[in-house]
């Protein structure tokens, strides 16, 4: 099978660890994906991600590195182009460094999450970084803090591991065989052409404008109506 074919399903999740022992790797994979892995596992096939709306099968690739810059240069090389074509998501588990540069070209329809392991990085900094990233058109990168306290930030948005699971829930799973679990009444009232990812991004941008006092209540209501119309496929 030619995995470089753009019509191939994007049903692989790559998780790579920097300077983490194998016990921590097993523990975190269990927390993030609800599965148990063994020491030395590099590929785990036929996994299932299930939400209240759908279920989809995926494979997990597990990697590790000593130097992220070297690993990333290898990852974005032509040699690994076929792999990048089938990735639904990339998860980097390491201490976050604001100086780290990521060239995410060639990762269309692929989310990239940096799971910060540095307890000195607080949630306020994480929110600030993500607010800046929201302003970058086409950005698919997000910083998630493993040391967050609680499940939500001051805006009521999920943080930490709950946020990662939310990212997985709203993954596009392009070209994948998705088994939708919605009831017929829900399916008939929802526009199938609108992705949940679009809804979350729209809401996040609105929240950013509101936080910066760039949006009044009237504009907020207008955005809410636009989202409702997109979801239902009709005016409300």
């Amino acid at each position: 099978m030619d995995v470089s074919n753009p019509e191939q399903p994007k049903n692989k999740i790559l998780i790579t660890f920097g300077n983490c022992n194998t016990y921590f790797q097993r523990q975190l994979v269990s927390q993030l994906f609800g599965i148990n892995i063994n020491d030395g596992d590099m590929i785990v096939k036929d996994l299932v991600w299930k939400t209240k709306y759908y279920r989809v099968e995926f494979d997990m690739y597990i990697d590790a590195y000593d130097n992220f810059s070297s690993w990333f240069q290898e990852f974005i090389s032509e040699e690994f182009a076929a792999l990048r074509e089938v990735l639904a998501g990339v998860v980097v588990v390491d201490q976050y460094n604001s100086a780290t540069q990521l060239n995410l070209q060639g990762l269309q329809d692929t989310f990239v999450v940096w799971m910060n392991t540095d307890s000195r990085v607080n949630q306020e900094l994480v929110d600030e970084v993500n607010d800046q990233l929201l302003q970058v058109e086409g950005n698919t990168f997000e910083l998630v803090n493993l040391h967050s306290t609680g499940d939500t930030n001051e805006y009521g948005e999920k943080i930490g591991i709950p946020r990662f699971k939310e990212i997985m829930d709203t993954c596009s799973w392009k070209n994948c065989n998705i088994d939708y679990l919605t009831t017929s009444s829900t399916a008939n009232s929802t526009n199938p052409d609108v992705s949940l990812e679009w809804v979350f991004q729209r809401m996040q941008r609105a929240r950013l404008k509101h936080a910066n006092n760039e949006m009044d209540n009237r504009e907020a209501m207008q955005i809410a109506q636009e989202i409702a119309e997109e979801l239902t496929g009709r005016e409300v």
Side-chain angles (χ1 to χ4, degrees):
M1 180 175 67
D2 180 9
V3 296
S4 65
N5 187 328
E7 296 303 317
Q8 291 296 323
K10 298 177 79 69
N11 61 352
K12 320 292 183 189
I13 300 292
L14 170 62
I15 181 168
T16 184
F17 294 87
N19 301 316
C20 299
N21 61 54
T22 55
Y23 174 77
F24 175 80
Q25 293 179 18
R26 295 197 311 270
Q27 186 181 47
L28 185 60
V29 167
S30 176
Q31 289 177 303
L32 296 179
F33 300 97
I35 64 169
N36 295 319
I37 61 172
N38 300 313
D39 290 349
D41 281 350
M42 299 182 67
I43 299 177
V44 186
K45 289 183 171 291
D46 302 323
L47 300 174
V48 174
W49 188 262
K50 184 178 180 180
T51 74
K52 61 189 292 187
Y53 301 108
Y54 72 87
R55 67 187 299 277
V56 64
E57 293 186 0
F58 70 100
D59 300 333
M60 181 186 300
Y61 295 172
I62 303 169
D63 202 2
Y65 60 82
D66 294 321
N67 180 279
F68 176 76
S69 295
S70 299
W71 178 90
F72 189 70
Q73 288 304 312
E74 183 178 12
F75 171 70
I76 62 175
S77 68
E78 185 61 29
E79 181 182 358
F80 290 93
L83 170 63
R84 295 194 300 273
E85 288 285 349
V86 296
L87 288 177
V90 179
V91 185
V92 180
V93 183
D94 202 352
Q95 294 186 3
Y96 173 69
N97 185 339
S98 59
T100 301
Q101 297 295 318
L102 296 177
N103 179 2
L104 302 179
Q105 292 183 357
L107 285 176
Q108 289 81 9
D109 301 301
T110 302
F111 69 78
V112 180
V113 172
W114 189 294
M115 304 288 295
N116 169 60
T117 60
D118 187 351
S119 60
R120 296 169 297 180
V121 177
N122 60 38
Q123 188 59 42
E124 289 185 4
L125 175 59
V126 172
D127 290 340
E128 181 180 335
V129 170
N130 287 329
D131 284 346
Q132 294 172 354
L133 292 170
L134 277 175
Q135 301 179 54
V136 179
E137 184 176 357
N139 172 67
T140 60
F141 174 78
E142 183 167 338
L143 179 62
V144 174
N145 201 0
L146 278 178
H147 297 281
S148 300
T149 57
D151 292 340
T152 59
N153 61 13
E154 61 179 306
Y155 306 108
E157 299 168 329
K158 291 183 179 180
I159 58 177
I161 291 177
R163 172 54 186 158
F164 173 78
K165 292 182 177 181
E166 189 174 61
I167 293 171
M168 284 286 293
D169 288 347
T170 58
C171 176
S172 63
W173 301 109
K174 187 175 181 181
N175 298 325
C176 293
N177 184 19
I178 301 175
D179 182 14
Y180 291 100
L181 307 176
T182 52
T183 63
S184 58
S185 60
T186 303
N188 290 336
S189 63
T190 304
N191 184 356
D193 295 328
V194 179
S195 71
L196 291 177
E197 182 67 21
W198 177 90
V199 175
F200 279 112
Q201 289 178 350
R202 190 81 168 94
M203 293 173 67
Q204 286 173 325
R205 291 192 181 97
R207 192 268 297 168
L208 178 61
K209 291 183 66 178
H210 188 271
N212 292 334
N213 297 319
E214 298 175 2
M215 178 175 60
D216 56 23
N217 290 336
R218 181 177 180 181
E219 185 178 358
M221 290 298 295
Q222 181 180 355
I223 290 176
Q225 181 174 344
E226 289 174 358
I227 292 174
E229 290 176 359
E230 288 286 349
L231 285 171
T232 60
R234 63 178 184 272
E235 293 186 359
V236 296

